[in-house]
Amino acid sequence: MPAPTHRRRWLTICAITASAGLLAIPASAAPGGHGSPFGARTLAQLAAAREQSVGAMSPKTAADDDDGNEADEIAEGADQYAEARTSPGIVAPGAYGAAWSSLTNLPSTGGSWTNVTNLPYNSDDSRYRDIDSNSSGGSGDVTGRMAALAADDDGYVYAGSAGGGVWRSERGGGHWQPISDRLPSQSTGALALDGAGRLWLGTGEATTNADAYLGSGVYVLSDPHHGTFSSRSRVGGDELESTTIHELRFGAGRVWAATSAGVWSHSTKRLGGSWKLEYAPNPAYLPGGSKADDPDAAYKNITNDIAIDPKDPSKVVLAVGWRSGDDYNGFYTKDTKDSKGAWTRITSGLGDLPADADDVGSVTFARSADGSRYYAIDQSPEQLNTNPDSGLEGIYVSKSGSPTGPWTKIADYQGLAASGSALTTAGYMPGVQAWYNQFLTVDPANPDHVYAGLEEVYETKDGGSTWSTVGPYWNFTFPCWNIDPAKQTGDCSPTTHSDQHGVAIGRYHGKSFVYVGNDGGLYKRPVDGAQDSAGHATDWTSLNDGTIDTLQYYSVGVGKDLTYGGVSVTGGLQDNGQSILRSNDKVMGSNFGGDGGDTLTDPANGCDIAEEYVYLAIQVTQNCAVNDGSWLDDPSKATSYGVAPPDNATGEARFIAPLAADAKDSSTWIAGGRHVWVQTHGYAIRSGDEWKSVYDLGAGHTATAVAASGGKVYAAWCGPCNNQGFARGIAVGNADGTGWHDIALPATGADGTVPNRYLSGFAVDPKNADHVFLTVSGFSRQWTEGPGAGVGHVFESKDGGTTWKDVSANLPDVPSDSAVVTPNGGLAVATDLGVVYRAPGRTTWQRVGSLPAVAVLQLKLSPDGRTLYAATHGRGIYRIPVSDCR
C-alpha cells in the first residue's frame, strides 16, 4: 500500500551546535541568494501535506506565495537560527572561544548532570503509529546528525557528530564512548586516519548552512584505540580557529585542510609550528585583511576538498568555491615542489568535469586504494539557483587515476532517480540538497565499487555504469509497506535515515563493512551486501544503540507518568521528530514525526502533549499518541489532532515559534506569530479555530518568546529579524485581551538597557507575575558589529516589564537561550555553551555542573520543582537536582 499523503517527513535544520564561533551565512544575503538547510524529507513533507486537509498538517506558509518553492521556505528556517545569534550585525571570529574560556573559569555549583536520553531511540516504535508519526519508515534506532566517520581494520570506528563531539566504538560500531569532551568545540568537520594509525579531527561542521558553528582547529590522537582528545593535542597554532573544515587529506608528509578560510597544510611529523596557507582565492577577506569586515567575507574563501595525485604527490588539485556561486569557484592546481609557483585555475582538459565557475560548487573527491581511479561529486551553483529538481551537476570518474583527469560523468540526478530512489515519489529528485548532503568512498578491494551519498545512499559495482539506491529515502512508498506490519505485502528491509554526510570502510572480525553517517546517526552493512530485486539493501544495521547520544533537542517537556509512576520526558528534535520516554521504558519512542519544535507537557499528566512542527503547526494528544495504526482504516481513531493557530496558515510565524502554558493554569496556552494567540481549552483543544488573537504585534513583526503567569502575558518580537535594519520589542498584556501595550525600549540598546539583539526567553517569578527575567541572544558589542548590539544577556524587571536592569554581571558573553526561576528563588539560564545559575540574594553567576561545550536551548522544571531538565542541541536531555544549584 502506498504511503498516505499526509505522512509526516523528517526535517533538517543543520548544525546547531556550540563551539568556537558561528558561521553566519544567511542564504538570503549570501552571493547566489539561495540555500536549503533542511533535509529532503522536509521538502517531501511540505509538498505532501498541502495535498490533504488534516488540521495543522496542511501548513501554508509565506513560501506558498513563491510558486511553492520549498527550498526557499527551508532556507528561511536556517536563517532564523543564525539571525538569533548574529543580528544586528556580523559576529567576529573567536567569540565562542572567548566565551568558553570565561565559562570554564566560573565557580561551579557542584553536582553532576545525568543523561536522561542515553538509551535507544526507536523512530519505528510500534507503540506510536498515530497519524502524525513516522513509525515504520524504516530508519529504526536513531540519534543526532553525524558529520564525519573513520574506521580501521581492527574493528574501531570513530564518529564525529554535528554538535555532540567525537565517539569511539571498539566493536565495529555500537558500545560507544565520547573521546572529545575536553575540547572547546564539539562540532565536527572532518575525521581521518593517517598511515601511522593516528586519528585527525578537524573541528567546525562544514556543510555551509546558515547556522553552522565554527571550530577551534585540528587535533590529532596518537593512540585512538585508547586515548582521548585534549586541547594539548591541537596541531599548529591558532590559524584555523573560527573556521570550518570540510576535509583533511594526506600527501608527501603533510596534512592538507580544506577550510572556510582557504586551503592550509602542516607537517605530519612536526606537529608544532604554524599552519601554512597554501591558497586563499580572496585573501583580503581573511581575518586581518582589508575586507575582513565585508558582509560577504564568510563566503569568499570557502574550499571543499583536496585531491593529491597518487603517482606524483607534488601535483595537487583544489576544489574551491561557495555553493551558491562566485567568480572564484573552480578547480586549481599547482606543482607543490615549486615553492614560488602560483596556483592556477584549470580552464580546460578536465573532460566532463566542469571548469566554468557557475558549475563548480561543493565538491567531494575519493581515490581508489590502488591509485587507478579518482571519483568526484560536483554540486552546481547554476543548478542550485535555477533547477527546482536538483542541485547535482554529476558524479565523475578519472580513469587515469589523476585528479587532473580526463574526467567522465558516470551519474546525473535523472539516472540516480531511476536507480530505485524513493525520493522521487515525494516529488523531488536526487541531489536536491547536493550542497548539504555529500559523501563518496571507494571499496579498497575494488576500484570500480563506489558508495555515494546524497539524500540517499547509492552504490555502483561497475565504475558507474549502473547504480542502485541501497539506502532509500524511506519505506513508505514501496509496495511492501503498510503501517500495520501484519498487512505488509512483502518484506520491507530497514533503511538508513536520510541526508548523508559521512562514510568510512573498515573491517571487523575479518569482514569489511561500509559505515554511513547522516541526520539520524550511524548505520553499517557489509561492503558487498545483499540487495532485493529493486536494488535496495536488505542488510543495514543501525549503530545507534543508545550508548551514543548526540540528539539535537530544541525543547523538553516533563509530566507525571500516571500509568507507570515517575515522570514522562518528551522533547522536540532536529530531523528526528518528537521523542517520548515513559518512566518504565528501556527504549525511547517517537510519537510525532518531522522536526520537533517547542513542546508543552502537562505537569499533572505526561501523556497530555502538544508538539510544534514548524511555523506553529501544532499537534496535540492526550494519550501520548499511542496508536496501532488503526486510523489508516478509520480516521476517527487517530489520537493526535492538528490545532495550528491562524498565523501558521498565513506564514506569519517563525520557523521554530514560541509556545507556552500559563504557569498558574496549564489550560491557558500562549502562542506567538505576528499575533499573540491564546486558547483556554488546554490539551482538550481540537481545532485551530479555538485560538483567539489577543494582540497584533504589527506587520513584519514575529514573536520570539512568550510567557504567562496568572493571566499576565509577555511577548518579545523581532522585525526585521536579520542584520539589515534589525529591530526588537516587548509587548505586555493579559490573556483575556485587555491591557495590552508596547514597552518603550531604546532603539539603540544603550548601556544598561535591553540591547538591540534577539530576545530569546522570559522567566516569570511564580510568586509575582510583575517580576520577570529576560534572556538575550547574540553577542555584546565587543564581538558584534551592528547598531545597538549593546551589552548583556540577562535583564530583570520588577514592574511588569516597564523598566529593565542588566543583571548579567560575570555571565560569559555568549548567546543566552532561556531561563527558569527555581523554587528557592534562584535563576538558571541556558546558554549556547551550558547552564549557569544565580543563587537567591547573589549577584554573580556559577556554572552548573560540567557539560561539554554544547548548546542548551531550553530548561524546564520537573512537576515537583526538584529537578532541572536541560534540552541540549547535540547531547540529548540532561537533568540535575535543583538542590545541587546552590
Side-chain angles (χ1 to χ4, degrees):
M1 178 179 290
T5 56
H6 55 267
R7 171 68 48 187
R8 296 286 299 281
R9 271 57 166 176
W10 284 268
L11 280 86
T12 313
I13 182 166
C14 317
I16 306 170
T17 60
S19 58
L22 180 68
L23 176 62
I25 305 181
S28 58
H34 186 285
S36 174
F38 313 134
R41 293 186 187 273
T42 301
L43 306 179
Q45 163 56 27
L46 295 175
R50 291 186 179 117
E51 296 174 3
Q52 53 77 46
S53 55
V54 186
M57 291 306 300
S58 297
K60 179 182 183 296
T61 72
D64 290 330
D65 299 325
D66 188 22
D67 298 323
N69 189 327
E70 309 298 351
D72 287 347
E73 180 179 81
I74 286 164
E76 181 184 350
D79 289 352
Q80 289 180 9
Y81 191 88
E83 289 166 1
R85 287 152 176 80
T86 59
S87 297
I90 298 173
V91 178
Y96 275 91
W100 178 246
S101 177
S102 177
L103 182 72
T104 55
N105 288 326
L106 286 181
S108 176
T109 63
S112 298
W113 292 95
T114 299
N115 189 321
V116 177
T117 52
N118 59 342
L119 74 172
Y121 174 32
N122 184 5
S123 65
D124 289 328
D125 196 319
S126 61
R127 295 172 293 175
Y128 306 107
R129 295 185 183 274
D130 201 24
I131 194 168
D132 289 329
S133 85
N134 274 335
S135 182
S136 77
S139 296
D141 292 340
V142 296
T143 191
R145 180 168 65 256
M146 290 297 151
L149 304 178
D152 63 23
D153 289 341
D154 298 319
Y156 285 81
V157 183
Y158 309 96
S161 66
V166 181
W167 299 70
R168 174 177 61 218
S169 170
E170 303 173 9
R171 306 182 187 183
H175 302 277
W176 300 93
Q177 296 176 322
I179 60 173
S180 65
D181 280 3
R182 290 185 292 167
L183 297 184
S185 172
Q186 297 300 306
S187 175
T188 305
L191 284 175
L193 288 162
D194 67 10
R198 296 177 296 180
L199 180 65
W200 294 71
L201 162 64
T203 58
E205 189 186 19
T207 47
T208 68
N209 48 289
D211 47 10
Y213 281 82
L214 307 182
S216 54
V218 173
Y219 301 83
V220 65
L221 191 54
S222 297
D223 182 12
H225 286 188
H226 306 100
T228 59
F229 287 101
S230 72
S231 57
R232 295 188 302 275
S233 64
R234 190 170 76 169
V235 178
D238 59 4
E239 299 83 17
L240 300 187
E241 280 192 5
S242 299
T243 67
T244 65
I245 298 175
H246 194 275
E247 295 289 351
L248 295 171
R249 304 294 188 183
F250 302 96
R254 300 191 72 78
V255 58
W256 293 69
T259 82
S260 55
V263 174
W264 299 70
S265 75
H266 198 283
S267 168
T268 57
K269 297 178 181 179
R270 185 178 55 85
L271 301 181
S274 300
W275 285 82
K276 176 186 177 183
L277 177 60
E278 294 283 355
Y279 180 65
N282 295 290
Y285 291 88
L286 293 174
S290 60
K291 297 183 178 180
D293 296 335
D294 189 285
D296 289 345
Y299 333 114
K300 287 295 186 179
N301 288 287
I302 290 174
T303 57
N304 298 295
D305 209 346
I306 303 110
I308 301 170
D309 193 319
K311 299 179 180 67
D312 184 356
S314 65
K315 294 180 179 178
V316 180
V317 173
L318 311 180
V320 177
W322 164 234
R323 60 172 167 88
S324 290
D326 206 323
D327 290 342
Y328 72 87
N329 284 30
F331 297 100
Y332 294 76
T333 190
K334 175 184 175 181
D335 185 337
T336 58
K337 289 184 295 186
D338 181 0
S339 60
K340 296 182 180 180
W343 291 93
T344 59
R345 188 185 207 144
I346 302 175
T347 58
S348 63
L350 292 174
D352 292 342
L353 191 64
D356 191 280
D358 290 339
D359 295 322
V360 181
S362 183
V363 172
T364 301
F365 290 120
R367 188 178 72 188
S368 65
D370 66 0
S372 67
R373 299 284 189 275
Y374 241 111
Y375 294 89
I377 294 177
D378 176 31
Q379 168 262 322
S380 163
E382 178 72 16
Q383 294 285 332
L384 178 67
N385 290 322
T386 63
N387 185 356
D389 290 331
S390 178
L392 178 68
E393 183 71 19
I395 303 177
Y396 303 83
V397 63
S398 169
K399 293 184 178 180
S400 70
S402 170
T404 58
W407 293 83
T408 302
K409 181 181 282 192
I410 55 175
D412 56 22
Y413 70 89
Q414 293 98 335
L416 294 176
S419 71
S421 169
L423 180 61
T424 57
T425 59
Y428 296 92
M429 298 290 277
V432 69
Q433 285 193 164
W435 66 268
Y436 171 62
N437 304 129
Q438 278 192 27
F439 73 54
L440 194 63
T441 193
V442 187
D443 181 352
N446 181 355
D448 289 326
H449 187 191
V450 179
Y451 279 90
L454 295 167
E455 298 77 28
E456 302 170 296
V457 182
Y458 306 96
E459 180 184 21
T460 179
K461 295 183 178 181
D462 54 15
S465 295
T466 59
W467 291 86
S468 299
T469 308
V470 291
Y473 196 62
W474 50 36
N475 281 334
F476 294 142
T477 56
F478 300 154
C480 63
W481 180 86
N482 192 292
I483 198 167
D484 181 355
K487 297 179 181 179
Q488 289 181 2
T489 60
D491 182 16
C492 273
S493 301
T495 185
T496 69
H497 196 288
S498 64
D499 298 343
Q500 312 305 317
H501 300 285
V503 65
I505 291 177
R507 295 178 66 82
Y508 182 57
H509 287 170
K511 188 173 184 178
S512 292
F513 291 90
V514 60
Y515 300 88
V516 302
N518 47 51
D519 279 12
L522 301 114
Y523 299 79
K524 77 172 181 180
R525 70 183 292 249
V527 168
D528 288 306
Q531 300 179 18
D532 62 20
S533 60
H536 305 138
T538 61
D539 46 13
W540 286 110
T541 299
S542 170
L543 301 177
N544 308 306
D545 60 0
T547 62
I548 184 169
D549 185 1
T550 59
L551 291 168
Q552 296 168 286
Y553 281 94
Y554 289 113
S555 61
V556 59
V558 189
K560 292 180 180 179
D561 191 329
L562 301 183
T563 303
Y564 303 107
V567 295
S568 174
V569 181
T570 187
L573 285 153
Q574 179 270 322
D575 212 18
N576 283 297
Q578 183 92 359
S579 71
I580 180 165
L581 177 62
R582 308 292 295 276
S583 60
N584 70 326
D585 276 350
K586 304 299 182 185
V587 173
M588 186 163 59
S590 177
N591 56 0
F592 293 106
D595 244 343
D598 218 337
T599 300
L600 292 183
T601 303
D602 188 348
N605 183 352
C607 273
D608 287 348
I609 303 167
E611 179 252 8
E612 180 196 7
Y613 175 40
V614 294
Y615 300 110
L616 283 181
I618 299 168
Q619 286 73 238
V620 65
T621 182
Q622 290 191 278
N623 78 330
C624 287
V626 172
N627 196 295
D628 61 3
S630 56
W631 56 267
L632 194 64
D633 297 320
D634 183 355
S636 69
K637 293 185 178 180
T639 56
S640 61
Y641 311 90
V643 295
D647 279 353
N648 166 254
T650 61
E652 294 178 292
R654 291 181 68 75
F655 178 74
I656 301 295
L659 177 67
D662 190 298
K664 302 291 187 182
D665 179 7
S666 62
S667 293
T668 298
W669 297 0
I670 316 298
R674 169 180 168 169
H675 303 81
V676 179
W677 298 95
V678 173
Q679 71 91 6
T680 57
H681 302 281
Y683 300 89
I685 184 174
R686 293 294 181 266
S687 167
D689 294 337
E690 296 174 60
W691 292 92
K692 176 185 177 182
S693 174
V694 296
Y695 193 65
D696 185 347
L697 295 172
H701 297 169
T702 53
T704 61
V706 296
S709 182
K712 188 178 186 71
V713 180
Y714 297 89
W717 56 264
C718 65
C721 297
N722 57 34
N723 59 14
Q724 275 99 48
F726 179 86
R728 59 37 180 143
I730 296 173
V732 180
N734 299 314
D736 63 6
T738 63
W740 278 92
H741 60 284
D742 291 312
I743 300 297
L745 296 178
T748 58
D751 285 353
T753 65
V754 176
N756 188 42
R757 304 201 309 270
Y758 187 93
L759 309 181
S760 54
F762 294 101
V764 185
D765 185 342
K767 298 177 181 178
N768 179 3
D770 286 334
H771 185 201
V772 61
F773 296 91
L774 171 70
T775 56
V776 182
S777 192
F779 289 90
S780 296
R781 65 166 174 259
Q782 177 184 1
W783 299 103
T784 304
E785 297 180 4
V791 175
H793 291 276
V794 181
F795 291 78
E796 180 180 21
S797 175
K798 296 182 179 180
D799 55 12
T802 301
T803 60
W804 296 89
K805 177 184 178 182
D806 184 358
V807 294
S808 304
N810 64 327
L811 186 76
D813 186 4
V814 64
S816 296
D817 301 306
S818 72
V820 296
V821 178
T822 57
N824 65 352
L827 183 67
V829 174
T831 80
D832 270 12
L833 290 176
V835 181
V836 295
Y837 176 74
R838 192 187 74 170
R842 302 285 182 88
T843 59
T844 57
W845 298 86
Q846 298 170 277
R847 184 184 181 190
V848 180
S850 55
L851 291 172
V854 64
V856 181
L857 298 189
Q858 193 174 82
L859 298 173
K860 291 282 180 68
L861 290 168
S862 61
D864 61 9
R866 296 179 180 177
T867 305
L868 182 66
Y869 286 79
T872 79
H873 205 83
R875 289 298 283 266
I877 294 173
Y878 283 77
R879 69 170 181 245
I880 193 171
V882 172
S883 60
D884 286 349
C885 301
R886 59 182 183 270

